Amino acid sequence: MKTSNLFLALLASTSAIATPFSKTKYLKRGKSSIAKSILELIGHATNTDANAWDYEAHPDMCSVNMKTEKGGNCHADVTCSDGKTRNYDNWGGCAHQVVNRFDDPGIGPFTITWTKKDDDCSDGLCAPELALEYVGNYFVFNVEALSEEAQDNANSATLCKVGCSQPDPESEPSSENICQATNRYNTKTIHSNQCGVPAIGKDYGPEKLDSQGPVGEAGYATGWCGIHVVQYQKEEPAADPASDPKANYHLDVTLYDSNEDKIGEVLGMEAPAGEAVSVFSELPYVMLVTAQKVDADPVLFAYSDQSWAYADAEHHCNFGQYDSGNREGDYETMTTRYTQSEWRTIIDDAERDLPSSFPLYKAPSLGTPDFAKCIDHTLLKLEATKEQIDELCEEARRHEFVSVCVRLKWVERAVHNLQGSSVVVACVVGFHEGTYSVSEKVKEASIAVAAGALELDMVINYPLLKQHRYSQVFTDVAAVRNVAPHPVVLKVILETSKLTQVDIVAGCKVAQAANADFVKTSTGFGGQGATEENVRLMKSVIGPNMKVKASGGVKTVNECVAMMEAGAERIGTSNGVWIMKEARSLLEDFTHAAGDKGRKNSRPADSLTRMFSSS
C-alpha cells in the first residue's frame, strides 16, 4: 500500500505534537458523570490551588460574569486565558425566567436564566442559572447553590461574597466552589455573579468537569480521531491456511472522536494477511485496516485519501510486544472537519453572501500608542544579522509596537532582547513558499513556542488550496493550531497574489474552521502584497470574531491607514519606524497649522481626513 508522504511526514514529527490521547484515557469520557449533582462533583474538587474562575491560575477555565442592576440592565461577559473579555449586552429578555442564549468562542453556546426577582432578591433580578452546550448538553449550573446560601445583609457598606466564610469584602471564596455571587446594596441594587467553567474541550478537577467539543450534524466531534487497536496472534500452524481462521490475525479496532467518545468499533474482526478490512463508524469515510504477514509487521491504515503504517518505532507510537496472545496500541490522526461537498457548500455560501458594499472601519489616531499597537515590526530577510535583529527589537521597544516578526533562528534572541517590555515575538512558519510538509510546520511551530514566541504567522499551503484540496489544507492549519493553542496567536498567510477571489474566500473559511486568530494577506516575498480590495474581502468573509493582518508593500502612513479602514487590525511592515515618524510629523504639522489659525481642536483638511479616522 502506498503511504502518503504528507501523513508519513506528520507521523515522523510526532515528538513535537501535543497529543490529546493516551492509553489510559481510552475510555469514553462519560457525559453521565456530568449529570451527577454538580454540587457533589465540585465538592470533590479539593485539590485545586486557586479559584476556578481565576483563568490565569487555571488556563483551562474561563470566567463567566453575570450582572443586573436597578432591577434590569442585564450584562454578561466571558474571559478566557487569552485575557480578552467578550461582552454580551444584547439580551433578548432581561426578565425573570427568560432563557437568553449566547455563543462564545471560548466556551461555546451558553444560556443564562434569572430565576428570582424582587422580594426574593431584595430588589431586581438574581440567582442566575448558567448552562453550557458542551458541558453535559446544557446541564444547569445553579449559581446560587454552588456559591452557598447568600448571607442576608442589607447594610449598604457591606459587600457580601456568597460562599465566603466571612462577609468581608477582602476575603476570598473557598477553593472548592466553582461560582461566587456578590450582592451590593446601596442607592441601586447590583447583583453580580461569577462562575468558572471549562473552555471548549477542557476539563476541571479530579472528577473531570468536561467541556466536550462541538459535535454538529455529522454526529462526531471533528479534529483529532483516536484509534485503539488490539491485534490477536495467529493460532498457527493451521491444517489449511486458506480456509482455517486460525491462520489469520484477528483485530479489535475502536475509533474515538476528539471528545474521546466512541464513534465506531469492531471486535474480533478476522484479518487475513495482506487484505484490508473495513471499520464503519460515524466518520464520513470507512477506515481500512490491514494486518500483514508476520507478527513484527506494522498494521496499515487508510482513511479517505490518507494512508499510513502503524508500529514503526520512528513514528507516533509502537504496538506493544505480544502478551497473552495479543499486542495493542493507540494512535491518533486528524480527520477532516468536513467532507469535500460540505467544504464546497460552506465556501459557495460565503461567496454568495458577500455584500455589495463594504463598511469603512476606523483606524486609531495617528502617532498614538493604539496606532503603534497595530504594527508588527518585521525583519524576514535571510541575510539578516544579529545586529539587525537587536536593532529591530530596540526600535520596537522604543515605539511600543505590538510585536517583532522574525524567522525561527532569531526567536530566542528577540525574546531575550524584549524582556520587560510589552512587545511580543512573532515567528513565521512554513515561510515563505507554504509547501512545507505538515510535520515541518508542526516542528517549526513547536520550537518557536518553546523558545518564547507568542504569535505564529504560518503560510498556508496555497498550491493545495488552489487545487480545492480543502481537507488537506485544513489539516495543515489545524496541526499547527494543535501544538500552539491559545493564548498563542495564530495568523494564517494566504498569499493573496496567487489566489482568485474564490480561493481567498476558501482560505478564510478553512483558517476559521481550524480556529486561527487572523488571516493575513501576504508574505511580502510572493508578488503583489496587500490590497485594500483583498483586505475588505477577507474581513467580510471572516466576520467579527477573527481579524485581518495586511502585509506586503505597506510602506507609508497613508497605505497603513487605508488598510486599517478596509478592515485590517494588524499591519506587517519593515517600515514601522518610518510610518510612526511620518504619522507624528503629520500630526505635529496639522496641530501647529491649526493653532496658528486658532483652530487647534479642528479636524484636518479633507485631503488628510483619512489619516485621522478617529479622534
Side-chain angles (χ1 to χ4, degrees):
M1 179 181 295
K2 184 178 179 181
T3 304
S4 160
N5 290 333
L6 175 69
F7 276 82
L8 281 178
L10 175 58
L11 295 174
S13 72
T14 49
S15 61
I17 296 180
T19 54
F21 293 95
S22 67
K23 292 180 184 179
T24 58
K25 293 174 70 178
Y26 269 96
L27 295 173
K28 180 173 180 179
R29 206 196 301 183
K31 296 179 182 178
S32 60
S33 66
I34 298 170
K36 294 178 180 179
S37 163
I38 293 290
L39 285 171
E40 176 187 350
L41 188 152
I42 297 302
H44 288 88
T46 56
N47 64 349
T48 57
D49 57 6
N51 297 320
W53 53 87
D54 183 353
Y55 57 84
E56 293 181 348
H58 293 279
D60 288 347
M61 302 294 283
C62 297
S63 172
V64 181
N65 294 283
M66 299 155 279
K67 184 174 72 172
T68 65
E69 58 181 288
K70 296 182 180 178
N73 298 313
C74 297
H75 168 83
D77 62 67
V78 179
T79 309
C80 298
S81 58
D82 59 5
K84 298 177 182 177
T85 298
R86 295 171 291 276
N87 295 298
Y88 299 95
D89 294 315
N90 186 21
W91 291 59
C94 181
H96 181 236
Q97 294 294 4
V98 174
V99 179
N100 287 272
R101 300 181 182 278
F102 309 95
D103 195 352
D104 182 81
I107 63 174
F110 68 99
T111 67
I112 297 173
T113 307
W114 302 99
T115 64
K116 294 182 180 180
K117 67 175 183 177
D118 299 337
D119 291 344
D120 290 333
C121 302
S122 296
D123 183 24
L125 299 168
C126 65
E129 288 183 343
L130 172 66
L132 282 68
E133 178 178 342
Y134 300 147
V135 177
N137 192 22
Y138 287 110
F139 187 87
V140 173
F141 290 77
N142 186 319
V143 176
E144 187 174 60
L146 288 169
S147 303
E148 300 181 358
E149 286 300 320
Q151 298 181 40
D152 187 12
N153 192 330
N155 186 330
S156 62
T158 299
L159 176 67
C160 176
K161 289 185 176 180
V162 178
C164 296
S165 57
Q166 301 176 15
D168 181 350
E170 300 300 322
S171 65
E172 290 294 332
S174 61
S175 63
E176 290 86 352
N177 296 320
I178 199 169
C179 295
Q180 66 174 337
T182 316
N183 302 306
R184 190 195 307 271
Y185 306 100
N186 44 39
T187 56
K188 59 182 180 180
T189 304
I190 299 175
H191 298 286
S192 180
N193 308 267
Q194 186 177 30
C195 284
V197 299
I200 294 175
K202 304 298 184 180
D203 50 64
Y204 171 80
E207 293 290 327
K208 299 298 183 188
L209 179 62
D210 294 338
S211 170
Q212 309 286 291
V215 172
E217 295 179 0
Y220 64 96
T222 55
W224 288 95
C225 176
I227 310 166
H228 182 68
V229 179
V230 180
Q231 181 179 4
Y232 296 93
Q233 203 166 23
K234 298 177 182 178
E235 296 183 38
E236 298 175 315
D240 184 3
S243 61
D244 190 343
K246 293 182 179 181
N248 296 324
Y249 292 109
H250 287 74
L251 300 176
D252 293 344
V253 182
T254 309
L255 303 180
Y256 300 86
D257 68 6
S258 60
N259 285 338
E260 300 175 30
D261 285 340
K262 186 188 300 181
I263 57 173
E265 183 176 55
V266 293
L267 301 176
M269 177 174 58
E270 188 176 346
E275 294 185 20
V277 292
S278 300
V279 183
F280 293 89
S281 69
E282 295 178 53
L283 297 174
Y285 300 104
V286 176
M287 182 76 69
L288 300 178
V289 185
T290 305
Q292 299 189 81
K293 292 183 179 181
V294 299
D295 292 351
D297 287 341
V299 172
L300 304 178
F301 291 89
Y303 176 78
S304 182
D305 58 353
Q306 313 163 27
S307 57
W308 64 93
Y310 183 3
D312 187 334
E314 295 181 358
H315 291 161
H316 179 62
C317 70
N318 288 331
F319 271 117
Q321 298 297 315
Y322 275 97
D323 181 15
S324 301
N326 66 77
R327 62 175 179 168
E328 62 184 300
D330 298 303
Y331 182 76
E332 57 261 8
T333 187
M334 180 71 73
T335 63
T336 179
R337 180 157 187 176
Y338 303 108
T339 64
Q340 183 66 17
S341 62
E342 289 171 332
W343 280 119
R344 187 71 266 169
T345 298
I346 290 167
I347 294 161
D348 288 346
D349 288 348
E351 190 175 23
R352 185 196 64 227
D353 293 340
L354 289 173
S356 57
S357 61
F358 299 91
L360 186 69
Y361 293 87
K362 287 187 175 181
S365 296
L366 290 187
T368 63
D370 286 343
F371 188 86
K373 286 300 181 186
C374 293
I375 293 177
D376 287 346
H377 197 35
T378 303
L379 179 56
L380 297 172
K381 295 179 181 177
L382 284 170
E383 62 271 21
T385 65
K386 61 183 181 181
E387 290 80 13
Q388 290 173 325
I389 295 298
D390 293 345
E391 184 180 9
L392 182 85
C393 294
E394 189 278 326
E395 291 169 345
R397 183 191 289 267
R398 175 161 29 99
H399 292 282
E400 298 184 317
F401 294 134
V402 65
S403 79
V404 297
C405 187
V406 297
R407 291 181 182 263
L408 180 60
K409 66 179 290 187
W410 299 119
V411 168
E412 191 170 351
R413 187 180 190 91
V415 169
H416 175 76
N417 285 343
L418 292 167
Q419 286 180 346
S421 76
S422 63
V423 184
V424 301
V425 176
C427 178
V428 290
V429 173
F431 197 84
H432 64 276
E433 298 86 352
T435 54
Y436 288 53
S437 70
V438 174
S439 65
E440 289 172 304
K441 291 182 181 180
V442 162
K443 183 178 181 180
E444 279 191 337
S446 300
I447 295 171
V449 172
L454 293 179
E455 298 190 355
L456 300 176
D457 289 40
M458 70 166 291
V459 187
I460 205 169
N461 195 321
Y462 55 85
L464 292 181
L465 184 65
K466 290 170 66 68
Q467 297 168 29
H468 303 167
R469 295 164 70 177
Y470 303 127
S471 292
Q472 286 178 263
V473 178
F474 170 79
T475 298
D476 184 51
V477 181
V480 173
R481 175 86 281 180
N482 184 62
V483 297
H486 294 293
V488 175
V489 173
L490 177 62
K491 306 172 210 146
V492 177
I493 307 172
L494 302 184
E495 201 67 289
T496 51
S497 65
K498 309 289 187 183
L499 305 177
T500 65
Q501 175 174 298
V502 175
D503 294 334
I504 293 172
V505 171
C508 289
K509 297 309 290 186
V510 170
Q512 193 171 47
N515 296 318
D517 301 290
F518 281 78
V519 282
K520 176 177 170 181
T521 56
S522 319
T523 62
F525 289 73
Q528 184 183 28
T531 68
E532 294 174 57
E533 179 184 10
N534 285 336
V535 169
R536 290 190 192 99
L537 173 64
M538 293 160 67
K539 184 59 181 175
S540 177
V541 173
I542 62 173
N545 294 326
M546 282 184 72
K547 298 178 182 180
V548 176
K549 176 177 174 178
S551 184
V554 184
K555 299 179 180 179
T556 68
V557 68
N558 195 45
E559 292 168 341
C560 188
V561 173
M563 295 301 167
M564 293 176 177
E565 290 182 336
E569 296 183 56
R570 194 76 72 87
I571 304 295
T573 179
S574 57
N575 290 275
V577 172
W578 167 250
I579 288 171
M580 289 301 294
K581 287 180 178 178
E582 188 183 10
R584 287 166 179 155
S585 176
L586 285 169
L587 184 60
E588 289 172 5
D589 289 347
F590 168 73
T591 302
H592 292 321
D596 292 342
K597 296 179 181 180
R599 298 184 294 106
K600 191 170 184 178
N601 296 320
S602 300
R603 298 289 291 176
D606 289 344
S607 61
L608 291 180
T609 297
R610 67 177 306 148
M611 299 185 187
F612 293 79
S613 56
S614 66
S615 58

